[in-house]
Amino acid sequence: KAGVTQTPRYLIKTRGQQVTLSCSPISGHRSVSWYQQTPGQGLQFLFEYFSETQRNKGNFPGRFSGRQFSNSRSEMNVSTLELGDSALYLCASTPLDLNTEAFFGQGTRLTVV
Amino acid sequence: SQQGEEDPQALSIQEGENATMNCSYKTSINNLQWYRQNSGRGLVHLILIRSNEREKHSGRLRVTLDTSKKSSSLLITASRAADTASYFCATYEMDSSYKLIFGSGTRLLVRP
């Protein structure tokens, strides 16, 4: 079956703009999580959605938001972009069992200039 | 926040040698997972070891888990140049839904 699909793969934005990233999970997976990866902070949890509800949120400012649709696809939005938001954003989908692996997409590389 | 540290941060070995990476974590866990990441791309799941397991094998990979020391190790035997990547351990928070906490990672370079 198809893996986790993230679009776009690369993005360049200007400070102050906003950006929307998309993630399509593996068919049948209802949990979608987002992570930010930077050289300085490593992999940081952003938020997790299940059945269109945000169940968990990481320690990020309110400029970072997300949502999940009824088909489990998820989007994350970053408003008022800052240079420090430049990162690889990874999406993961997970089946309902916590004792299984998370499946990651290839990520969206966001560069803020 | 990081779950813990991985050791070493970087490792350079010759093809054919074994590579060992260590991971420490801070909280109680259900399981611990290892992932590989090639050059800033997505994470690929390697192996999952449950909290009641002490050792697990998958091909050239061997993972151990010591819950009393809150540590795990990943051994890659007979390494290949294609094993060059960053390796991360990760655990789910016990009281959380699908929030993976990652270690800081080990960058492995396998020289041909």
PDB file of all heavy atoms in Angstrom, chain B residues 10-42:
ATOM      1  N   ALA B  10      28.708  10.726  16.756  1.00  0.00           N
ATOM      2  CA  ALA B  10      29.156  10.403  15.414  1.00  0.00           C
ATOM      3  C   ALA B  10      30.087   9.201  15.484  1.00  0.00           C
ATOM      4  O   ALA B  10      30.819   9.017  16.465  1.00  0.00           O
ATOM      5  CB  ALA B  10      29.869  11.589  14.770  1.00  0.00           C
ATOM      6  N   LEU B  11      30.050   8.388  14.436  1.00  0.00           N
ATOM      7  CA  LEU B  11      30.825   7.157  14.399  1.00  0.00           C
ATOM      8  C   LEU B  11      31.284   6.920  12.968  1.00  0.00           C
ATOM      9  O   LEU B  11      30.468   6.967  12.039  1.00  0.00           O
ATOM     10  CB  LEU B  11      29.951   6.002  14.875  1.00  0.00           C
ATOM     11  CG  LEU B  11      30.548   4.600  14.974  1.00  0.00           C
ATOM     12  CD1 LEU B  11      31.713   4.597  15.941  1.00  0.00           C
ATOM     13  CD2 LEU B  11      29.474   3.626  15.440  1.00  0.00           C
ATOM     14  N   SER B  12      32.577   6.676  12.800  1.00  0.00           N
ATOM     15  CA  SER B  12      33.128   6.419  11.479  1.00  0.00           C
ATOM     16  C   SER B  12      33.830   5.071  11.519  1.00  0.00           C
ATOM     17  O   SER B  12      34.731   4.857  12.347  1.00  0.00           O
ATOM     18  CB  SER B  12      34.117   7.522  11.089  1.00  0.00           C
ATOM     19  OG  SER B  12      34.684   7.260   9.818  1.00  0.00           O
ATOM     20  N   ILE B  13      33.401   4.163  10.662  1.00  0.00           N
ATOM     21  CA  ILE B  13      33.994   2.828  10.654  1.00  0.00           C
ATOM     22  C   ILE B  13      34.271   2.392   9.222  1.00  0.00           C
ATOM     23  O   ILE B  13      33.791   3.003   8.255  1.00  0.00           O
ATOM     24  CB  ILE B  13      33.064   1.795  11.330  1.00  0.00           C
ATOM     25  CG1 ILE B  13      31.714   1.744  10.595  1.00  0.00           C
ATOM     26  CG2 ILE B  13      32.880   2.097  12.802  1.00  0.00           C
ATOM     27  CD1 ILE B  13      30.790   0.644  11.104  1.00  0.00           C
ATOM     28  N   GLN B  14      35.014   1.311   9.099  1.00  0.00           N
ATOM     29  CA  GLN B  14      35.325   0.734   7.798  1.00  0.00           C
ATOM     30  C   GLN B  14      34.248  -0.278   7.440  1.00  0.00           C
ATOM     31  O   GLN B  14      33.668  -0.943   8.333  1.00  0.00           O
ATOM     32  CB  GLN B  14      36.692   0.039   7.875  1.00  0.00           C
ATOM     33  CG  GLN B  14      37.410  -0.143   6.572  1.00  0.00           C
ATOM     34  CD  GLN B  14      37.940   1.154   6.004  1.00  0.00           C
ATOM     35  OE1 GLN B  14      38.368   2.050   6.731  1.00  0.00           O
ATOM     36  NE2 GLN B  14      37.909   1.281   4.693  1.00  0.00           N
ATOM     37  N   GLU B  15      33.967  -0.367   6.167  1.00  0.00           N
ATOM     38  CA  GLU B  15      32.999  -1.370   5.697  1.00  0.00           C
ATOM     39  C   GLU B  15      33.408  -2.750   6.209  1.00  0.00           C
ATOM     40  O   GLU B  15      34.588  -3.106   6.200  1.00  0.00           O
ATOM     41  CB  GLU B  15      32.973  -1.369   4.172  1.00  0.00           C
ATOM     42  CG  GLU B  15      31.681  -1.863   3.561  1.00  0.00           C
ATOM     43  CD  GLU B  15      31.573  -1.511   2.083  1.00  0.00           C
ATOM     44  OE1 GLU B  15      32.617  -1.366   1.422  1.00  0.00           O
ATOM     45  OE2 GLU B  15      30.437  -1.391   1.590  1.00  0.00           O
ATOM     46  N   GLY B  16      32.411  -3.496   6.676  1.00  0.00           N
ATOM     47  CA  GLY B  16      32.690  -4.822   7.203  1.00  0.00           C
ATOM     48  C   GLY B  16      32.798  -4.861   8.717  1.00  0.00           C
ATOM     49  O   GLY B  16      32.614  -5.919   9.324  1.00  0.00           O
ATOM     50  N   GLU B  17      33.078  -3.715   9.319  1.00  0.00           N
ATOM     51  CA  GLU B  17      33.161  -3.655  10.780  1.00  0.00           C
ATOM     52  C   GLU B  17      31.758  -3.574  11.377  1.00  0.00           C
ATOM     53  O   GLU B  17      30.777  -3.324  10.687  1.00  0.00           O
ATOM     54  CB  GLU B  17      33.986  -2.444  11.219  1.00  0.00           C
ATOM     55  CG  GLU B  17      35.442  -2.518  10.828  1.00  0.00           C
ATOM     56  CD  GLU B  17      36.230  -1.299  11.285  1.00  0.00           C
ATOM     57  OE1 GLU B  17      35.618  -0.242  11.510  1.00  0.00           O
ATOM     58  OE2 GLU B  17      37.460  -1.419  11.424  1.00  0.00           O
ATOM     59  N   ASN B  18      31.694  -3.777  12.669  1.00  0.00           N
ATOM     60  CA  ASN B  18      30.420  -3.637  13.388  1.00  0.00           C
ATOM     61  C   ASN B  18      30.294  -2.228  13.940  1.00  0.00           C
ATOM     62  O   ASN B  18      31.289  -1.589  14.288  1.00  0.00           O
ATOM     63  CB  ASN B  18      30.344  -4.628  14.540  1.00  0.00           C
ATOM     64  CG  ASN B  18      30.328  -6.067  14.066  1.00  0.00           C
ATOM     65  OD1 ASN B  18      30.037  -6.350  12.895  1.00  0.00           O
ATOM     66  ND2 ASN B  18      30.636  -6.984  14.965  1.00  0.00           N
ATOM     67  N   ALA B  19      29.052  -1.753  14.039  1.00  0.00           N
ATOM     68  CA  ALA B  19      28.781  -0.431  14.597  1.00  0.00           C
ATOM     69  C   ALA B  19      27.829  -0.580  15.770  1.00  0.00           C
ATOM     70  O   ALA B  19      26.786  -1.256  15.644  1.00  0.00           O
ATOM     71  CB  ALA B  19      28.167   0.480  13.543  1.00  0.00           C
ATOM     72  N   THR B  20      28.179   0.029  16.877  1.00  0.00           N
ATOM     73  CA  THR B  20      27.322  -0.015  18.060  1.00  0.00           C
ATOM     74  C   THR B  20      26.933   1.391  18.477  1.00  0.00           C
ATOM     75  O   THR B  20      27.794   2.266  18.609  1.00  0.00           O
ATOM     76  CB  THR B  20      28.031  -0.705  19.237  1.00  0.00           C
ATOM     77  OG1 THR B  20      28.353  -2.051  18.861  1.00  0.00           O
ATOM     78  CG2 THR B  20      27.115  -0.749  20.453  1.00  0.00           C
ATOM     79  N   MET B  21      25.635   1.586  18.659  1.00  0.00           N
ATOM     80  CA  MET B  21      25.126   2.875  19.101  1.00  0.00           C
ATOM     81  C   MET B  21      24.298   2.668  20.363  1.00  0.00           C
ATOM     82  O   MET B  21      23.607   1.655  20.481  1.00  0.00           O
ATOM     83  CB  MET B  21      24.226   3.490  18.020  1.00  0.00           C
ATOM     84  CG  MET B  21      24.978   3.901  16.799  1.00  0.00           C
ATOM     85  SD  MET B  21      23.919   4.016  15.355  1.00  0.00           S
ATOM     86  CE  MET B  21      24.341   2.519  14.527  1.00  0.00           C
ATOM     87  N   ASN B  22      24.399   3.625  21.270  1.00  0.00           N
ATOM     88  CA  ASN B  22      23.699   3.508  22.539  1.00  0.00           C
ATOM     89  C   ASN B  22      22.701   4.640  22.712  1.00  0.00           C
ATOM     90  O   ASN B  22      22.886   5.746  22.198  1.00  0.00           O
ATOM     91  CB  ASN B  22      24.712   3.546  23.692  1.00  0.00           C
ATOM     92  CG  ASN B  22      25.745   2.462  23.561  1.00  0.00           C
ATOM     93  OD1 ASN B  22      25.433   1.282  23.633  1.00  0.00           O
ATOM     94  ND2 ASN B  22      26.997   2.855  23.347  1.00  0.00           N
ATOM     95  N   CYS B  23      21.677   4.345  23.461  1.00  0.00           N
ATOM     96  CA  CYS B  23      20.598   5.306  23.664  1.00  0.00           C
ATOM     97  C   CYS B  23      20.146   5.223  25.117  1.00  0.00           C
ATOM     98  O   CYS B  23      19.999   4.122  25.646  1.00  0.00           O
ATOM     99  CB  CYS B  23      19.444   4.967  22.719  1.00  0.00           C
ATOM    100  SG  CYS B  23      17.844   5.654  23.150  1.00  0.00           S
ATOM    101  N   SER B  24      19.951   6.373  25.720  1.00  0.00           N
ATOM    102  CA  SER B  24      19.379   6.390  27.065  1.00  0.00           C
ATOM    103  C   SER B  24      18.057   7.135  27.032  1.00  0.00           C
ATOM    104  O   SER B  24      17.864   8.030  26.207  1.00  0.00           O
ATOM    105  CB  SER B  24      20.338   7.074  28.046  1.00  0.00           C
ATOM    106  OG  SER B  24      20.519   8.426  27.685  1.00  0.00           O
ATOM    107  N   TYR B  25      17.146   6.739  27.902  1.00  0.00           N
ATOM    108  CA  TYR B  25      15.856   7.412  27.951  1.00  0.00           C
ATOM    109  C   TYR B  25      15.497   7.707  29.399  1.00  0.00           C
ATOM    110  O   TYR B  25      16.159   7.205  30.325  1.00  0.00           O
ATOM    111  CB  TYR B  25      14.770   6.568  27.274  1.00  0.00           C
ATOM    112  CG  TYR B  25      14.596   5.182  27.836  1.00  0.00           C
ATOM    113  CD1 TYR B  25      13.680   4.929  28.850  1.00  0.00           C
ATOM    114  CD2 TYR B  25      15.345   4.119  27.350  1.00  0.00           C
ATOM    115  CE1 TYR B  25      13.519   3.666  29.370  1.00  0.00           C
ATOM    116  CE2 TYR B  25      15.188   2.839  27.864  1.00  0.00           C
ATOM    117  CZ  TYR B  25      14.268   2.617  28.869  1.00  0.00           C
ATOM    118  OH  TYR B  25      14.108   1.352  29.388  1.00  0.00           O
ATOM    119  N   LYS B  26      14.466   8.522  29.589  1.00  0.00           N
ATOM    120  CA  LYS B  26      14.236   9.049  30.936  1.00  0.00           C
ATOM    121  C   LYS B  26      13.014   8.476  31.633  1.00  0.00           C
ATOM    122  O   LYS B  26      12.959   8.422  32.857  1.00  0.00           O
ATOM    123  CB  LYS B  26      14.090  10.576  30.866  1.00  0.00           C
ATOM    124  CG  LYS B  26      15.335  11.286  30.372  1.00  0.00           C
ATOM    125  CD  LYS B  26      15.097  12.775  30.220  1.00  0.00           C
ATOM    126  CE  LYS B  26      16.327  13.473  29.678  1.00  0.00           C
ATOM    127  NZ  LYS B  26      16.084  14.902  29.400  1.00  0.00           N
ATOM    128  N   THR B  27      11.999   8.066  30.874  1.00  0.00           N
ATOM    129  CA  THR B  27      10.738   7.696  31.503  1.00  0.00           C
ATOM    130  C   THR B  27      10.456   6.209  31.323  1.00  0.00           C
ATOM    131  O   THR B  27      11.159   5.509  30.599  1.00  0.00           O
ATOM    132  CB  THR B  27       9.583   8.505  30.896  1.00  0.00           C
ATOM    133  OG1 THR B  27       9.491   8.175  29.497  1.00  0.00           O
ATOM    134  CG2 THR B  27       9.832   9.993  31.036  1.00  0.00           C
ATOM    135  N   SER B  28       9.404   5.738  31.968  1.00  0.00           N
ATOM    136  CA  SER B  28       8.958   4.360  31.741  1.00  0.00           C
ATOM    137  C   SER B  28       8.430   4.234  30.321  1.00  0.00           C
ATOM    138  O   SER B  28       7.871   5.178  29.775  1.00  0.00           O
ATOM    139  CB  SER B  28       7.857   3.999  32.734  1.00  0.00           C
ATOM    140  OG  SER B  28       8.342   4.048  34.042  1.00  0.00           O
ATOM    141  N   ILE B  29       8.608   3.073  29.744  1.00  0.00           N
ATOM    142  CA  ILE B  29       8.242   2.894  28.331  1.00  0.00           C
ATOM    143  C   ILE B  29       7.434   1.624  28.110  1.00  0.00           C
ATOM    144  O   ILE B  29       7.497   0.687  28.897  1.00  0.00           O
ATOM    145  CB  ILE B  29       9.494   2.847  27.428  1.00  0.00           C
ATOM    146  CG1 ILE B  29      10.396   1.684  27.831  1.00  0.00           C
ATOM    147  CG2 ILE B  29      10.244   4.171  27.485  1.00  0.00           C
ATOM    148  CD1 ILE B  29      11.542   1.437  26.864  1.00  0.00           C
ATOM    149  N   ASN B  30       6.671   1.614  27.029  1.00  0.00           N
ATOM    150  CA  ASN B  30       6.040   0.388  26.538  1.00  0.00           C
ATOM    151  C   ASN B  30       6.984  -0.345  25.608  1.00  0.00           C
ATOM    152  O   ASN B  30       7.036  -1.565  25.595  1.00  0.00           O
ATOM    153  CB  ASN B  30       4.753   0.716  25.772  1.00  0.00           C
ATOM    154  CG  ASN B  30       3.614   1.066  26.699  1.00  0.00           C
ATOM    155  OD1 ASN B  30       3.455   0.461  27.751  1.00  0.00           O
ATOM    156  ND2 ASN B  30       2.824   2.050  26.312  1.00  0.00           N
ATOM    157  N   ASN B  31       7.656   0.460  24.789  1.00  0.00           N
ATOM    158  CA  ASN B  31       8.592  -0.124  23.851  1.00  0.00           C
ATOM    159  C   ASN B  31       9.600   0.935  23.438  1.00  0.00           C
ATOM    160  O   ASN B  31       9.428   2.125  23.737  1.00  0.00           O
ATOM    161  CB  ASN B  31       7.868  -0.674  22.609  1.00  0.00           C
ATOM    162  CG  ASN B  31       7.093   0.395  21.856  1.00  0.00           C
ATOM    163  OD1 ASN B  31       7.688   1.322  21.306  1.00  0.00           O
ATOM    164  ND2 ASN B  31       5.776   0.279  21.822  1.00  0.00           N
ATOM    165  N   LEU B  32      10.641   0.517  22.772  1.00  0.00           N
ATOM    166  CA  LEU B  32      11.647   1.441  22.251  1.00  0.00           C
ATOM    167  C   LEU B  32      11.869   1.083  20.789  1.00  0.00           C
ATOM    168  O   LEU B  32      11.903  -0.097  20.422  1.00  0.00           O
ATOM    169  CB  LEU B  32      12.944   1.337  23.050  1.00  0.00           C
ATOM    170  CG  LEU B  32      14.065   2.326  22.673  1.00  0.00           C
ATOM    171  CD1 LEU B  32      14.778   2.814  23.931  1.00  0.00           C
ATOM    172  CD2 LEU B  32      15.033   1.728  21.695  1.00  0.00           C
ATOM    173  N   GLN B  33      11.995   2.098  19.976  1.00  0.00           N
ATOM    174  CA  GLN B  33      12.139   1.875  18.543  1.00  0.00           C
ATOM    175  C   GLN B  33      13.430   2.526  18.041  1.00  0.00           C
ATOM    176  O   GLN B  33      13.897   3.510  18.616  1.00  0.00           O
ATOM    177  CB  GLN B  33      10.942   2.483  17.802  1.00  0.00           C
ATOM    178  CG  GLN B  33       9.607   1.972  18.305  1.00  0.00           C
ATOM    179  CD  GLN B  33       8.438   2.598  17.590  1.00  0.00           C
ATOM    180  OE1 GLN B  33       8.475   2.792  16.378  1.00  0.00           O
ATOM    181  NE2 GLN B  33       7.378   2.914  18.325  1.00  0.00           N
ATOM    182  N   TRP B  34      13.946   1.972  16.984  1.00  0.00           N
ATOM    183  CA  TRP B  34      15.103   2.565  16.303  1.00  0.00           C
ATOM    184  C   TRP B  34      14.699   2.916  14.878  1.00  0.00           C
ATOM    185  O   TRP B  34      14.025   2.131  14.193  1.00  0.00           O
ATOM    186  CB  TRP B  34      16.282   1.595  16.290  1.00  0.00           C
ATOM    187  CG  TRP B  34      16.965   1.485  17.618  1.00  0.00           C
ATOM    188  CD1 TRP B  34      16.662   0.632  18.636  1.00  0.00           C
ATOM    189  CD2 TRP B  34      18.078   2.261  18.057  1.00  0.00           C
ATOM    190  NE1 TRP B  34      17.515   0.835  19.687  1.00  0.00           N
ATOM    191  CE2 TRP B  34      18.396   1.822  19.367  1.00  0.00           C
ATOM    192  CE3 TRP B  34      18.849   3.287  17.495  1.00  0.00           C
ATOM    193  CZ2 TRP B  34      19.445   2.371  20.107  1.00  0.00           C
ATOM    194  CZ3 TRP B  34      19.894   3.824  18.221  1.00  0.00           C
ATOM    195  CH2 TRP B  34      20.185   3.361  19.517  1.00  0.00           C
ATOM    196  N   TYR B  35      15.141   4.101  14.467  1.00  0.00           N
ATOM    197  CA  TYR B  35      14.863   4.595  13.116  1.00  0.00           C
ATOM    198  C   TYR B  35      16.168   5.002  12.451  1.00  0.00           C
ATOM    199  O   TYR B  35      17.139   5.393  13.109  1.00  0.00           O
ATOM    200  CB  TYR B  35      13.937   5.823  13.167  1.00  0.00           C
ATOM    201  CG  TYR B  35      12.517   5.515  13.562  1.00  0.00           C
ATOM    202  CD1 TYR B  35      12.153   5.413  14.899  1.00  0.00           C
ATOM    203  CD2 TYR B  35      11.533   5.330  12.590  1.00  0.00           C
ATOM    204  CE1 TYR B  35      10.843   5.139  15.264  1.00  0.00           C
ATOM    205  CE2 TYR B  35      10.222   5.052  12.953  1.00  0.00           C
ATOM    206  CZ  TYR B  35       9.885   4.957  14.285  1.00  0.00           C
ATOM    207  OH  TYR B  35       8.588   4.682  14.644  1.00  0.00           O
ATOM    208  N   ARG B  36      16.159   4.941  11.143  1.00  0.00           N
ATOM    209  CA  ARG B  36      17.283   5.405  10.335  1.00  0.00           C
ATOM    210  C   ARG B  36      16.817   6.569   9.473  1.00  0.00           C
ATOM    211  O   ARG B  36      15.684   6.589   8.978  1.00  0.00           O
ATOM    212  CB  ARG B  36      17.809   4.284   9.437  1.00  0.00           C
ATOM    213  CG  ARG B  36      19.053   4.655   8.646  1.00  0.00           C
ATOM    214  CD  ARG B  36      19.412   3.544   7.661  1.00  0.00           C
ATOM    215  NE  ARG B  36      18.506   3.540   6.521  1.00  0.00           N
ATOM    216  CZ  ARG B  36      18.049   2.431   5.960  1.00  0.00           C
ATOM    217  NH1 ARG B  36      18.378   1.253   6.438  1.00  0.00           N
ATOM    218  NH2 ARG B  36      17.250   2.521   4.923  1.00  0.00           N
ATOM    219  N   GLN B  37      17.716   7.528   9.278  1.00  0.00           N
ATOM    220  CA  GLN B  37      17.421   8.667   8.420  1.00  0.00           C
ATOM    221  C   GLN B  37      18.599   8.906   7.500  1.00  0.00           C
ATOM    222  O   GLN B  37      19.722   9.126   7.952  1.00  0.00           O
ATOM    223  CB  GLN B  37      17.139   9.932   9.236  1.00  0.00           C
ATOM    224  CG  GLN B  37      16.723  11.121   8.374  1.00  0.00           C
ATOM    225  CD  GLN B  37      16.430  12.351   9.209  1.00  0.00           C
ATOM    226  OE1 GLN B  37      17.126  12.641  10.177  1.00  0.00           O
ATOM    227  NE2 GLN B  37      15.385  13.089   8.829  1.00  0.00           N
ATOM    228  N   ASN B  38      18.324   8.862   6.211  1.00  0.00           N
ATOM    229  CA  ASN B  38      19.350   9.127   5.207  1.00  0.00           C
ATOM    230  C   ASN B  38      19.319  10.597   4.832  1.00  0.00           C
ATOM    231  O   ASN B  38      18.296  11.077   4.334  1.00  0.00           O
ATOM    232  CB  ASN B  38      19.110   8.270   3.959  1.00  0.00           C
ATOM    233  CG  ASN B  38      19.409   6.812   4.217  1.00  0.00           C
ATOM    234  OD1 ASN B  38      18.545   6.064   4.648  1.00  0.00           O
ATOM    235  ND2 ASN B  38      20.638   6.425   3.969  1.00  0.00           N
ATOM    236  N   SER B  39      20.396  11.282   5.102  1.00  0.00           N
ATOM    237  CA  SER B  39      20.662  12.624   4.608  1.00  0.00           C
ATOM    238  C   SER B  39      19.442  13.540   4.585  1.00  0.00           C
ATOM    239  O   SER B  39      19.028  13.989   3.520  1.00  0.00           O
ATOM    240  CB  SER B  39      21.266  12.538   3.202  1.00  0.00           C
ATOM    241  OG  SER B  39      21.760  13.786   2.793  1.00  0.00           O
ATOM    242  N   GLY B  40      18.836  13.790   5.748  1.00  0.00           N
ATOM    243  CA  GLY B  40      17.758  14.754   5.842  1.00  0.00           C
ATOM    244  C   GLY B  40      16.473  14.339   5.175  1.00  0.00           C
ATOM    245  O   GLY B  40      15.653  15.196   4.826  1.00  0.00           O
ATOM    246  N   ARG B  41      16.284  13.068   4.991  1.00  0.00           N
ATOM    247  CA  ARG B  41      15.034  12.567   4.419  1.00  0.00           C
ATOM    248  C   ARG B  41      14.162  12.005   5.532  1.00  0.00           C
ATOM    249  O   ARG B  41      14.384  12.265   6.707  1.00  0.00           O
ATOM    250  CB  ARG B  41      15.347  11.526   3.351  1.00  0.00           C
ATOM    251  CG  ARG B  41      16.278  12.053   2.269  1.00  0.00           C
ATOM    252  CD  ARG B  41      16.351  11.125   1.090  1.00  0.00           C
ATOM    253  NE  ARG B  41      15.072  11.041   0.396  1.00  0.00           N
ATOM    254  CZ  ARG B  41      14.880  10.326  -0.705  1.00  0.00           C
ATOM    255  NH1 ARG B  41      15.872   9.647  -1.215  1.00  0.00           N
ATOM    256  NH2 ARG B  41      13.697  10.268  -1.290  1.00  0.00           N
ATOM    257  N   GLY B  42      13.130  11.267   5.139  1.00  0.00           N
ATOM    258  CA  GLY B  42      12.223  10.722   6.135  1.00  0.00           C
ATOM    259  C   GLY B  42      12.870   9.647   6.984  1.00  0.00           C
ATOM    260  O   GLY B  42      13.939   9.135   6.680  1.00  0.00           O
TER     261      GLY B  42
END
